Amino acid sequence: MATFSYKAKNWDGKIVTSEMECENKEACISKLREKGFFVINITEKKGGGGGGFALFTRGVSSQEVSIFARQFATMIGSGVPLVRCLTILQSQAENPTFKRIISQIRTDVEGGATFSKALEKHPKVFNNLFCSLVKAGEIGGILDVILDRLAEYLESSEALKAKIKGAMTYPVVVFGIAFLVVVALVMFVLPQFKEIFLGMNIELPMATTILLAVSDFMVGWWFVVIPAIVLIPLLIWKFFQTKTGSRIWDTNILKIPNLGMMMRKVAVAKFTRTLGTLISSGVPILQALEVTSQTAGNCVIADAVDKTRISIREGESIAEPLKSSGVFPPMVVQMIAVGEETGELDKMLTKIADFYDTEVDTAVKGLTSVIEPLVIVVLGVVIGGIVMAVFMPMLKLVNVN
């Protein structure tokens, strides 16, 4: 979709200048006319469209959305009108992209759209979960309460992500630096030893011969090797962003010892907190499960939730299809069954989420304690192997003499 800047008169004759995302210029004009706007001028923005590719456009973080929800809830709870809230939040936003989006939302609300409908036009910032909860808040007249819950949910989700990133940052950084050190040794240091080895007039050990061959290839084909070092990880990352790659990743990561268990706990914590937040906010169970599936973050969990939704539509309980999926631990299934029987499913889901947040903390610490010595051993073997391959010919020469 393209982004159009427009200048128009609204229903009471005031000049409105803002932006809107549409498929084309005609669709944008049509939407403005439906809102009762008289279009004075409209132009397409180049390079800054919400659906296009903009290399230097700053995105909107989950933290910014969380703060937006928290501040909005406070103002709505204090009796500040909706449009006034949006005006204040727009003026306070430091992120230009977010400021523009809030401006578009305010324009849509002024034109007669509901708040949830205005949010739905920006799915990259406000996901299906956010929009569904806001819609439930509008219907129930508890928008301030819903926005508070959303802020709490986003803060919990960010805390969970931070734990995972904290566990993975150390090994990734260390392996990255070690890889660059190994490449530097092979491309710049080993060629210096090659002339020395050739002058020894001895048969080189197999390890040294292989290492020198690798060094010759990397030096001779540096214009292929260096781009490959950058492009191969990027292409792998891009592949795992696709639907097929994502499914392969999500399916296999759960099978890895320790890491798989931790990722399963993360997925369960996210599932229960999302579903609990939706149900406690008055969202119907089938719609809540649909939203939970879309925001699960793991294809395996999403498939299990989709099957559960189909089973519930046919008259079954929630617990039974979750149990048959084999994805969720027995304790989770039992607690959900108890929640259904007692009529306090939302509270039970929140308790499960809190429990698994603690479990994730423990799992992260355990994983870190395993990864750190493993990283040291791997680096020791790799760099030690290179050093041994370099010094083995010298030791052989000493023995010959």
Side-chain angles (χ1 to χ4, degrees), residues 50-360:
F53 176 74
L55 184 60
F56 301 107
T57 299
R58 179 182 170 188
V60 181
S61 67
S62 297
Q63 186 179 12
E64 288 174 315
V65 176
S66 175
I67 293 170
F68 170 85
R70 182 74 70 188
Q71 292 176 335
F72 212 125
T74 303
M75 287 189 284
I76 289 288
S78 302
V80 181
L82 185 63
V83 173
R84 179 59 181 160
C85 291
L86 289 167
T87 303
I88 294 169
L89 290 171
Q90 179 189 343
S91 65
Q92 291 180 348
E94 296 180 359
N95 183 340
T97 303
F98 201 21
K99 186 186 284 288
R100 175 176 58 82
I101 289 170
I102 296 172
S103 172
Q104 291 174 2
I105 293 168
R106 179 175 58 83
T107 302
D108 289 338
V109 171
E110 286 177 331
T114 62
F115 185 38
S116 57
K117 285 292 182 185
L119 294 175
E120 286 173 4
K121 294 183 179 180
H122 309 279
K124 291 183 179 179
V125 179
F126 303 102
N127 61 17
N128 198 6
L129 168 67
F130 199 105
C131 296
S132 296
L133 285 173
V134 168
K135 187 175 182 179
E138 287 177 322
I139 294 170
I142 51 169
L143 187 57
D144 55 335
V145 176
I146 295 296
L147 288 167
D148 261 331
R149 286 179 187 167
L150 266 171
E152 289 171 7
Y153 169 82
L154 291 169
E155 287 161 4
S156 299
S157 297
E158 283 302 302
L160 200 59
K161 287 180 186 176
K163 292 170 190 174
I164 307 303
K165 287 180 181 177
M168 301 307 296
T169 298
Y170 174 78
V172 169
V173 170
V174 172
F175 271 121
I177 293 173
F179 180 75
L180 292 175
V181 168
V182 169
V183 170
L185 284 173
V186 172
M187 292 188 70
F188 301 108
V189 177
L190 276 177
Q192 306 300 321
F193 284 88
K194 184 177 179 181
E195 296 299 327
I196 298 173
F197 294 153
L198 293 175
M200 287 181 178
N201 295 320
I202 60 171
E203 185 179 351
L204 296 177
M206 180 63 70
T208 308
T209 303
I210 293 172
L211 198 60
L212 288 175
V214 171
S215 177
D216 287 341
F217 174 79
M218 292 182 71
V219 171
W221 293 85
W222 63 268
F223 51 89
V224 174
V225 172
I226 292 177
I229 290 172
V230 177
L231 288 175
I232 289 174
L234 181 61
L235 291 173
I236 292 171
W237 181 79
K238 283 288 186 183
F239 171 71
F240 284 124
Q241 299 297 307
T242 64
K243 190 174 181 180
T244 303
S246 177
R247 182 166 291 278
I248 292 171
W249 174 265
D250 290 343
T251 302
N252 289 285
I253 197 170
L254 297 177
K255 299 176 183 178
I256 301 173
N258 292 326
L259 178 61
M261 183 58 69
M262 185 187 75
M263 296 307 294
R264 189 180 296 273
K265 289 176 178 178
V266 170
V268 170
K270 185 173 183 180
F271 162 76
T272 51
R273 191 169 297 283
T274 304
L275 187 58
T277 303
L278 286 162
I279 292 173
S280 64
S281 302
V283 178
I285 185 65
L286 289 175
Q287 185 183 346
L289 285 168
E290 183 180 1
V291 174
T292 304
S293 170
Q294 293 170 355
T295 58
N298 184 290
C299 294
V300 177
I301 301 293
D303 289 345
V305 176
D306 282 336
K307 289 176 182 176
T308 302
R309 185 164 55 90
I310 294 168
S311 298
I312 290 172
R313 189 180 291 157
E314 295 172 354
E316 290 189 36
S317 64
I318 299 177
E320 195 57 38
L322 288 179
K323 181 182 179 181
S324 61
S325 71
V327 175
F328 298 91
M331 186 270 286
V332 174
V333 176
Q334 290 167 11
M335 290 183 73
I336 288 175
V338 172
E340 281 187 292
E341 291 173 7
T342 59
E344 295 188 339
L345 182 59
D346 55 338
K347 292 181 181 178
M348 195 62 74
L349 287 166
T350 302
K351 287 179 181 178
I352 297 171
D354 291 338
F355 171 78
Y356 270 91
D357 279 346
T358 306
E359 286 287 293
V360 169

